[in-house]
């Protein structure tokens, strides 16, 4: 399990107090008081005791913390130890190299992974480490990323606008209407679907949440204006209660039932199309599946792609939509 941000904040306070030679042997009460001053909240003594135990036992820190009965406080048996100066082991460096190699394989040299690979390269440079020349270009993972795909050139500025909650304006091109429109968006997150990236945010033009394909975004400009926060519950529903990215207008979240032939049943069992998916297999090998989602254009496209091997049972309007091209 990873270290939470709040726990790490307490670890840093504990570390600093144990390194303070002017006030040696801090007690749990001393640490609690310091947390109240620095973090504006007071963790329980049980929490702090658990923190010290975790710092001692963690494979990340292995902090040499000991309780001194004589002075009734804690100290480092190694006075030079600090959680801020833990060296990387050979295994750590190897793992970082593998992570960088994985990033390079997952999408060529595009802007999506460039910022992350550069950061890791800096870490390795600090330890005077680099990839062996013979392995740097050898792919062991291949994805569907196509070099030259549009939209990635704006990834960094869109990522920063989501991270910093900075409103952004850009020109958006509609493939269906074949026209350009200037929009102002309060970005929420970047989402990948079917090897394509999308920006999700509150659109001032549409007065609601909208999805914009990165390949249709031109000339993004960060704006100095107040960010409009949207309801978190509605954001999560918009982003997660869907297969795909473009919900069908005026359709709410609903249960969808479909029947798969024995030919494709195993595929749906192995690769559920949504976390809500449930299935019931028949003796013949076919299966009834249900998902609870907001219907989308991508879902209709998926169902149609299986032809006679997939039949939508409910709702009836979706059944008609998916049968129209069969």
């Amino acid at each position: 399990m990873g270290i939470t941000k709040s726990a790490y904040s307490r670890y840093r306070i504990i570390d600093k107090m144990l390194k303070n030679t002017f006030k040696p042997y801090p007690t749990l009460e001393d640490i609690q008081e310091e947390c109240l001053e620095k973090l504006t909240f007071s963790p329980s003594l049980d929490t702090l005791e658990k923190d010290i135990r975790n710092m001692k036992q963690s494979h990340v820190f292995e902090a040499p913390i000991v309780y001194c009965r004589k002075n009734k406080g804690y100290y480092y048996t190694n006075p030079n130890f600090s959680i801020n100066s833990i060296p990387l082991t050979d295994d750590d460096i190897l793992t970082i190299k593998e992570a960088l190699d994985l990033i390079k394989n997952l999408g060529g040299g595009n802007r999506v992974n460039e910022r992350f690979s550069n950061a890791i390269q800096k870490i390795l440079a600090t330890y005077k480490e680099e990839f062996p020349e013979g392995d740097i270009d050898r792919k062991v993972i291949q994805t569907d990323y196509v070099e030259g795909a549009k939209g990635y050139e704006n990834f960094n500025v869109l990522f920063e606008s989501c991270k910093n909650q900075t409103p952004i304006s850009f020109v958006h091109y509609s493939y269906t209407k074949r026209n350009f429109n200037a929009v102002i968006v309060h970005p929420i997150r970047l989402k990948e679907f079917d090897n394509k990236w999308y920006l999700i945010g509150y659109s001032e033009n549409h007065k609601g949440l909208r999805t914009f394909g990165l390949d249709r975004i031109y000339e993004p400009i960060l704006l100095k204006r107040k960010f409009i926060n949207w309801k978190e519950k509605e954001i999560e529903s918009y982003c997660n209660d869907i297969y795909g990215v473009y919900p069908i207008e005026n359709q709410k979240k609903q249960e969808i039932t479909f029947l798969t032939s024995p030919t494709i049943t195993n595929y749906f069992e192995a690769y559920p199309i949504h976390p809500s998916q449930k299935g019931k297999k028949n003796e013949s090998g076919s299966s009834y599946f249900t998902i609870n989602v907001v219907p989308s254009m991508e879902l209709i496209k998926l169902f149609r792609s299986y032809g006679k091997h997939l039949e939508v049972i409910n709702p009836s309007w979706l059944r008609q939509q998916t049968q129209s091209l069969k």
Side-chain angles (χ1 to χ4, degrees), residues 2 4 9 43 55 74 80 94 99 116 119 157-158 186 216 224 244 271 292 297 306 312:
T4 65
S9 297
M55 290 175 68
Y74 294 90
N80 296 320
L94 178 61
F116 303 110
V157 67
L158 297 175
H186 299 254
R216 282 153 274 180
K224 292 183 178 179
Y271 300 99
N292 282 280
M297 297 306 299
Y306 286 102
V312 174

Side-chain angles (χ1 to χ4, degrees), residues 131-278:
F131 273 100
E133 290 297 328
D135 289 342
I136 193 167
D137 294 323
R138 182 171 62 87
K139 277 185 174 288
V140 293
I141 296 175
Q142 182 170 345
T143 67
D144 287 336
Y145 170 75
V146 178
E147 197 72 41
K150 294 170 61 177
Y152 292 114
E153 64 274 10
N154 296 321
F155 186 87
N156 283 353
V157 67
L158 297 175
F159 176 85
E160 291 298 330
S161 65
C162 290
K163 178 183 176 183
N164 300 324
Q165 294 189 320
T166 305
I168 192 169
S169 69
F170 53 81
V171 175
H172 178 257
Y173 180 72
S174 172
Y175 286 150
T176 54
K177 297 179 181 179
R178 297 186 179 183
N179 62 7
F180 291 91
N181 283 298
V183 295
I184 295 177
V185 176
H186 299 254
I188 295 168
R189 69 182 57 169
L190 289 163
K191 180 177 179 179
E192 183 192 18
F193 176 77
D194 197 22
N195 202 38
K196 301 179 182 68
W197 283 89
Y198 301 86
L199 175 69
I200 297 173
Y202 171 80
S203 169
E204 289 190 14
N205 302 60
H206 302 90
K207 306 300 180 185
L209 296 177
R210 283 296 185 275
T211 301
F212 302 92
L214 263 62
D215 56 308
R216 282 153 274 180
I217 292 176
Y218 297 87
E219 301 177 1
I221 300 174
L222 299 177
L223 304 176
K224 292 183 178 179
R225 59 196 296 164
K226 185 178 179 181
F227 184 82
I228 298 177
N229 282 304
W230 200 250
K231 299 175 183 177
E232 189 65 29
K233 186 176 180 180
E234 291 190 25
I235 292 173
E236 290 304 313
S237 176
Y238 185 89
C239 295
N240 300 323
D241 292 342
I242 187 173
Y243 171 85
V245 288
Y246 290 114
I248 296 177
E249 195 172 356
N250 300 322
Q251 287 294 335
K252 297 181 179 180
K253 182 179 178 180
Q254 55 197 273
E255 184 175 271
I256 296 171
T257 304
F258 57 96
L259 175 67
T260 58
S261 72
T263 304
I264 64 170
T265 288
N266 290 338
Y267 175 83
F268 277 87
E269 289 178 338
Y271 300 99
I273 62 174
H274 191 264
S276 66
Q277 179 177 303
K278 296 179 181 179

Side-chain angles (χ1 to χ4, degrees), residues 26-34 45 48:
T27 65
L28 290 177
E29 289 77 8
D30 294 333
I31 298 172
Q32 186 182 51
E33 185 177 341
E34 187 72 7
L45 297 180
L48 293 175

